[in-house]
């Protein structure tokens, strides 16, 4: 980055309160604005982490969109919406709000209808923009209004089935839709698949480059420019020689425009103006450089797609404190690689998340047994099901939140046929800086009801390896959920254990209260038990539940028969979760036990600075839970309270 001291003054970004201010700038001021935006992006993400690479790539594109269109009357729908930081800076969300990006009380890392009138459609999952924009354009047509709807999709959005479903419906739904294909050749990792290769070919093809020159020529030959454009487009369409009828998008009925240099303000303006005046759906193919302006981000696009805090000068990530235990995703990836080396039937599958899931270890170690299928979770699961029919042991590594997209495949294709597919669901629990689109708080509820499913969560990294090993021996589907981040630091056994399916582990005996905890909550449960025992002289036990399905009913009923209060703890919504499984089992056995359930409420939990802040905001801090359990105990045993006093 340039030294900010060398920038011409006055600073432009600070004066931008909304799109009107962007429009008011002279064309020659735009490079300075772009430079200031990049500096702001780097400064904020270096401190808070975030999607720096994608945003550095769309600076000129976003500025150009705001100069050519009139947001919020015209509507931009950003796919994933992780590249919406520049849009935020230009729509009144700069300053302190942006500087608290992804922190409590600051700007979200994605777009939300509730955050701004300039965000007509929220997102966080990929592939939704084209469908949503098509719905909005169709609504506009039905309403008889005239606004523009612009979908901004990355090249990897075209690896999503839903984008292709939308593409198939564009021309039958509307005559006016603008699709920006922001092509930087990268998903999080390098983009994959045939469409990606196709885009690469047309980006470099001379025929398509010529189309760009046609737009130039058009503007030169018609000084009145855009006013003439509708007529011109119509005439050229009739004479059938304006657009080469050969791009994939033209086969779907969209006019293809480009490729356009996504960092050239003038080229962007001309092509967007042109698209704006077309009376047919149009796709503008814009070529951008992910990470533009930050050398480290250009050199390492995958790392800087969504970076943790880093040194803005060197690009070095802030180092974890010495002695920090390994991340669960690495433990999983390394264990799977070990198992795969020993068993060629093991196949690891990711939907465009090799490093996030830890499958990059498998990709490097046993590449033949690794598949990145793109942002195609439905396909990933069906593909795994197909492999499983022929004796393979597929492992789908898909974040809890993204597996939601493949729910029908989980039920209809894997569970119904009882195929032995293992699902490793990272990011189960909170993804605090990302927020509600990324929290993995629903998987137990959506999996508990699926017949043939075995659902489990390890208390630590060693048990994660045991669960993977166990799941790879199951006759049907196994689901392992685990949170983002580091393990507990326990040593990992050389030889993994095969766990007894449906059996919980008693970690601490107790006679007053028994805490049944799931996964990472086991550590909290042990601390809570210790505190209740030392401070309140209560006898409190802890069970590591391990399996949510099948639940260890025998142990549960034996506890319910002689322990006055049961407590469940889970990092999941209460509705349909682990505690629900416990009370259902007790109810079915006609056992009137007292149960205090600790988990997330029936709300979408916002983003926040960290897990602790969000837990405190929802009454789930260790102190809150201690107070609640004690109050429940005292409520059940008022005499003991007075005796203690
Ligand atoms: C359903 C789903 N799966 C996976 C992801 C994780 N993810 C976020 S952005 C991204 C890549 C997006 O690439 P592209 O659309 O080309 O945009 P770019 O970041 O390159 O600008 C992925 C895989 C997601 N958000 N949603």
């Amino acid at each position: 980055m340039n030294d900010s001291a060398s920038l011409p003054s006055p600073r432009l970004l600070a004066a931008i309160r909304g799109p009107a201010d962007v429009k008011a700038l002279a064309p020659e001021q735009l490079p300075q604005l772009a430079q200031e935006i990049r500096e702001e992006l780097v400064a904020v993400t270096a401190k808070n982490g975030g999607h720096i690479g994608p945003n550095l790539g769309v600076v000129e594109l976003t500025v150009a969109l705001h100069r050519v269109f009139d947001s919020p009357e015209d509507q931009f729908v950003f796919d994933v919406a992780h590249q919406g930081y520049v849009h935020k800076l230009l729509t009144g969300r700069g300053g302190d709000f942006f500087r608290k990006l992804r922190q409590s009380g600051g700007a979200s890392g994605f777009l939300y209808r509730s955050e701004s009138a300039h965000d007509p459609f929220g997102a966080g999952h990929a592939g939704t923009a084209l469908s949503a924009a098509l719905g909005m354009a169709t609504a506009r047509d039905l309403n008889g209004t005239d606004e523009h709807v612009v979908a901004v999709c990355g090249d990897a959005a075209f690896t999503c089935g839903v984008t292709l479903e939308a593409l198939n419906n564009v021309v039958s739904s509307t005559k006016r839709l603008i699709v920006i294909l922001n092509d930087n050749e990268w998903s999080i990792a390098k983009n994959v698949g045939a469409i990606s290769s196709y885009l690469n070919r047309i980006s470099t093809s001379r025929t398509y480059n010529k189309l760009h020159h046609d737009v130039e020529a058009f503007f030169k030959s018609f000084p009145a420019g855009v006013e003439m454009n509708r007529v011109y487009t119509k005439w050229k369409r009739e004479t059938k020689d304006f657009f080469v009828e050969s791009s994939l998008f033209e086969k779907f009925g969209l006019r293809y425009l480009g490729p356009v240099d996504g960092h050239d303000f003038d080229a962007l303006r001309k092509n967007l103006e042109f698209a704006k005046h077309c009376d047919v759906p149009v796709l503008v193919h814009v070529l951008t450089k992910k990470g533009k302006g930050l050398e480290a981000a250009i050199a390492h696009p995958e790392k800087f797609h969504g970076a943790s805090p880093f040194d803005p000068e060197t690009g070095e990530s802030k180092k974890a404190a010495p002695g920090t235990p390994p991340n669960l995703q690495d433990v999983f990836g390394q264990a799977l690689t070990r198992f795969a080396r020993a068993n060629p039937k093991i196949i690891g599958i990711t939907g465009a998340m090799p490093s996030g899931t830890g499958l990059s270890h498998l990709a490097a170690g046993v590449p033949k047994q690794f598949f990145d299928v793109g942002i195609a979770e439905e396909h990933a699961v069906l593909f795994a099901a197909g492999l499983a029919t022929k004796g393979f042991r597929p492992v789908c590594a898909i974040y809890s939140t993204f597996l939601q997209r493949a729910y029908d495949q989980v039920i209809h294709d894997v569970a119904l046929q009882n195929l032995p597919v293992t699902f490793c669901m990272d990011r189960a629990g909170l993804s605090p800086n990302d927020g509600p689109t990324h929290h993995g708080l629903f998987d137990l509820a959506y999996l508990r009801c699926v017949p043939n499913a075995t659902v489990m969560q390890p208390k630590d990294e060693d048990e994660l390896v045991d669960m993977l090993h166990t799941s790879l021996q199951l006759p049907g589907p196994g689901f392992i959920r685990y949170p983002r981040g580091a393990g507990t630091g326990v040593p990992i056994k050389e030889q993994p254990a095969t766990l007894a399916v449906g059996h919980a582990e008693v970690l601490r005996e107790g006679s007053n209260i028994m805490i049944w905890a799931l996964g990472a909550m086991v550590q909290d449960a042990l601390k809570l038990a210790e505190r209740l025992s030392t401070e309140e002289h209560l006898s409190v036990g802890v069970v590591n539940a391990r399996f949510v399905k099948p639940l260890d009913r025998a142990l549960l009923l034996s506890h319910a028969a002689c322990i006055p209060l049961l407590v469940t703890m889970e990092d999941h919504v209460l509705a349909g979760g682990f505690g629900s499984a416990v009370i259902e089992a007790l109810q079915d056995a006609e056992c009137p036990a007292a149960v205090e359930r600790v988990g997330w409420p029936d709300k979408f939990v916002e983003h926040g600075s960290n897990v602790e802040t969000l837990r405190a905001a929802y009454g789930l801090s260790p102190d809150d839970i201690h107070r609640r359990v004690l109050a429940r105990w005292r409520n059940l045993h008022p005499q003991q309270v007075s005796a203690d006093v």
Side-chain angles (χ1 to χ4, degrees):
M1 302 291 296
N2 286 359
D3 181 358
S4 59
S6 66
L7 278 176
S9 55
R11 306 279 290 166
L12 299 175
L13 182 58
I16 301 282
R17 301 269 172 261
D21 297 325
V22 184
K23 285 191 173 69
L25 295 176
E28 52 281 10
Q29 291 178 296
L30 299 181
Q32 183 187 333
L33 177 66
Q35 170 72 10
E36 291 179 22
I37 291 172
R38 287 199 165 90
E39 285 173 6
E40 183 75 359
L41 292 172
V42 170
V44 172
T45 54
K47 194 161 81 43
N48 301 357
H51 287 105
I52 180 64
N55 281 285
L56 287 172
V58 297
V59 173
E60 289 83 3
L61 173 61
T62 312
V63 170
L65 283 168
H66 277 289
R67 283 173 69 84
V68 171
F69 295 93
D70 296 314
S71 176
E73 289 76 27
D74 293 333
Q75 299 184 309
F76 305 136
V77 184
F78 287 89
D79 201 73
V80 192
H82 63 312
Q83 77 293 59
Y85 301 177
V86 187
H87 171 66
K88 288 186 191 223
L89 287 171
L90 302 180
T91 52
R93 285 173 278 178
D96 285 348
F97 187 63
F98 189 72
R99 297 209 169 128
K100 280 168 66 186
L101 179 77
R102 292 160 43 89
Q103 305 296 304
S104 301
S108 154
F110 298 93
L111 300 179
Y112 284 94
R113 284 169 60 80
S114 53
E115 195 180 279
S116 168
H118 293 276
D119 298 356
F121 203 83
H125 288 199
T128 63
L130 191 49
S131 270
L134 186 53
M136 290 158 65
T138 305
R140 172 206 56 210
D141 299 345
L142 293 171
N143 285 336
T145 53
D146 200 36
E147 69 275 14
H148 291 281
V149 180
V150 183
V152 183
C153 306
D155 48 300
F158 287 83
T159 64
C160 296
V162 66
T163 301
L164 301 178
E165 290 166 28
L167 200 56
N168 191 39
N169 278 281
V170 171
V171 282
S172 59
S173 303
T174 187
K175 287 202 162 98
R176 276 182 57 221
L177 177 70
I178 298 169
V179 184
I180 308 293
L181 165 52
N182 167 32
D183 185 358
N184 56 27
E185 297 178 32
W186 285 79
S187 180
I188 292 179
K190 188 84 179 161
N191 201 9
V192 295
I195 293 184
S196 163
S197 315
Y198 168 76
L199 291 177
N200 195 273
R201 274 202 311 280
I202 61 173
S203 300
T204 46
S205 131
R206 284 185 41 227
T207 319
Y208 285 97
N209 277 311
K210 185 176 165 295
L211 289 180
H212 173 60
H213 297 306
D214 286 345
V215 173
E216 284 281 357
F218 167 71
F219 270 87
K220 279 200 190 110
S221 55
F222 291 94
V226 294
E227 287 73 32
M228 296 291 293
N229 195 7
R230 257 177 225 263
V231 184
Y232 182 80
T233 309
K234 186 162 178 287
W235 170 68
K236 282 293 186 183
R237 196 170 56 248
E238 276 160 11
T239 58
K240 288 199 186 348
D241 67 349
F242 182 57
F243 293 101
V244 177
E245 281 280 341
S246 62
S247 97
L248 174 72
F249 305 105
E250 283 147 11
K251 305 259 186 278
F252 281 96
L254 282 83
R255 295 303 181 196
Y256 173 92
L257 209 52
V260 182
D261 177 347
H263 303 296
D264 176 339
F265 277 117
D266 197 44
L268 284 166
R269 177 185 64 82
K270 286 179 173 153
N271 281 276
L272 292 176
E273 285 285 4
F274 191 89
K276 185 173 167 178
H277 290 83
C278 280
D279 54 2
V280 289
V282 53
L283 180 137
V284 189
H285 187 183
V286 178
L287 305 184
T288 59
K289 185 92 191 149
K290 210 163 180 167
K292 186 173 169 63
L294 183 65
E295 262 171 44
I298 292 178
H300 306 285
E302 188 166 2
K303 175 177 164 197
F304 282 88
H305 171 87
S308 48
F310 58 93
D311 180 329
E313 299 303 322
T314 62
E316 284 294 311
S317 301
K318 299 261 153 72
K319 294 256 181 312
T324 304
N327 279 330
L328 293 175
Q329 76 225 34
D330 290 321
V331 172
F332 155 71
Q334 284 157 357
L336 186 68
T337 307
R338 243 181 19 250
F339 297 167
R341 280 207 173 96
N343 179 358
K345 294 287 184 197
I346 291 176
I347 303 287
I349 302 165
T350 173
M353 316 279 299
S355 51
T357 57
L359 273 196
S360 45
H361 293 283
L362 183 69
V366 200
K368 278 201 171 138
Q369 288 165 247
F370 164 81
F371 289 87
D372 178 355
V373 299
I375 313 174
E377 289 80 4
E378 305 100 306
H379 167 64
V381 175
L382 263 166
F383 178 63
L387 282 160
T389 63
K390 289 190 176 286
F392 283 85
R393 299 292 318 205
V395 175
C396 284
I398 300 179
Y399 288 6
S400 162
T401 187
F402 300 143
L403 190 60
Q404 290 164 194
R405 183 161 287 182
Y407 192 45
D408 187 51
Q409 287 72 22
V410 164
I411 296 182
H412 173 269
D413 304 294
V414 174
L416 176 58
Q417 309 191 88
N418 202 22
L419 291 168
V421 177
T422 291
F423 293 87
C424 289
M425 300 180 293
D426 200 323
R427 275 40 166 200
L430 285 193
S431 196
N433 303 120
D434 291 323
T437 54
H438 283 60
H439 297 323
L441 292 177
F442 307 116
D443 53 71
L444 294 177
Y446 71 68
L447 293 172
R448 269 187 55 220
C449 57
V450 179
N452 292 335
T454 300
V455 185
M456 53 201 135
Q457 181 168 359
K459 68 175 184 303
D460 57 37
E461 56 270 46
D462 184 47
E463 203 165 77
L464 170 61
V465 179
D466 290 346
M467 285 188 175
L468 180 60
H469 176 67
T470 305
S471 185
L472 285 166
Q473 300 167 63
L474 290 175
F479 297 84
I480 310 170
R481 74 187 300 262
Y482 46 95
R484 180 196 186 107
T488 63
V490 293
I492 296 174
K493 297 185 294 293
E494 207 139 284
Q495 278 308 315
T498 303
L499 301 173
V501 173
H503 285 268
E505 178 191 30
V506 178
L507 295 175
R508 177 180 165 129
E509 296 290 354
S511 58
N512 295 133
I513 299 173
M514 185 59 72
I515 308 173
W516 277 62
L518 184 66
M521 298 307 276
V522 166
Q523 300 305 322
D524 292 61
L526 287 167
K527 287 184 198 137
L528 176 62
E530 189 55 29
R531 186 168 168 195
L532 287 168
S533 111
T534 51
E535 292 179 12
E536 312 295 333
H537 310 297
L538 290 169
S539 168
V540 184
V542 174
V543 172
N544 165 27
R546 280 187 178 155
F547 293 88
V548 177
K549 184 180 178 158
L551 193 64
D552 193 339
R553 281 165 202 270
L555 183 67
L556 179 67
L557 293 178
S558 74
H559 285 166
C562 60
I563 300 175
L565 177 59
L566 302 181
V567 175
T568 64
M569 290 176 68
E570 63 193 300
D571 199 5
H572 186 273
V573 289
L574 287 173
F578 167 61
S580 291
V582 165
I583 54 178
E584 283 170 24
L586 294 170
Q587 170 69 26
D588 290 350
E590 298 186 10
C591 173
V595 182
E596 183 70 24
R597 290 184 301 147
V598 174
W600 293 95
D602 185 17
K603 289 197 170 119
F604 285 110
V605 176
E606 69 276 19
H607 71 276
S609 304
N610 50 47
V611 170
E612 290 71 31
T613 346
L614 286 168
R615 281 180 65 173
Y618 285 85
L620 293 170
S621 72
D623 281 347
D624 295 326
I625 299 171
H626 176 264
R627 262 193 302 278
R628 246 172 76 186
V629 172
L630 194 56
R632 183 75 188 264
W633 171 258
R634 288 183 170 156
N635 205 21
L636 288 169
H637 295 85
Q639 286 146 353
Q640 188 168 338
V641 176
S642 41
D644 285 351
V645 173

